[in-house]
Amino acid sequence: SAASDVYKRQHIQVTILVPDKVALAHYYSEGSMTPKDSPAVSNYRTRVSQIYTKEAGKWKVRSSHWSAITGGSGTSQTAIVE
């Protein structure tokens, strides 16, 4: 992420799938970003779903999905790179 990227997560909902092991988060992400080798996106608006697993006592994102909101620019990112 570039230093100029600004995101705001809103309306976060968490569903526990397996207590203290697996959870699902849904939220809206809004803001602005500058993807690598792409033009700046000033109206970044997406719905996000993420699966978290607890490993060695820490929560880690294991799966993510972004869907552009009508009127928003969305994202071209298809995966999280750790």
Side-chain angles (χ1 to χ4, degrees):
S1 246
S4 63
D5 292 355
V6 177
Y7 304 101
K8 181 178 177 185
R9 292 182 177 107
Q10 302 185 99
H11 309 291
I12 300 169
Q13 295 181 327
V14 177
T15 303
I16 304 300
L17 302 175
V18 179
D20 209 37
K21 291 185 181 181
V22 183
L24 168 64
H26 294 280
Y27 59 91
Y28 293 94
S29 183
E30 299 182 359
S32 61
M33 64 184 285
T34 305
K36 185 177 179 179
D37 301 323
S38 297
V41 177
S42 62
N43 188 25
Y44 177 85
R45 294 176 35 181
T46 61
R47 287 182 293 267
V48 181
S49 298
Q50 293 182 312
I51 296 287
Y52 290 81
T53 60
K54 197 168 193 180
E55 301 172 19
K58 295 184 179 186
W59 289 98
K60 298 193 178 215
V61 175
R62 287 298 168 211
S63 177
S64 296
H65 176 80
W66 292 266
S67 296
I69 297 173
T70 300
S73 297
T75 182
S76 60
Q77 183 175 349
T78 58
I80 292 177
V81 179
E82 290 186 26

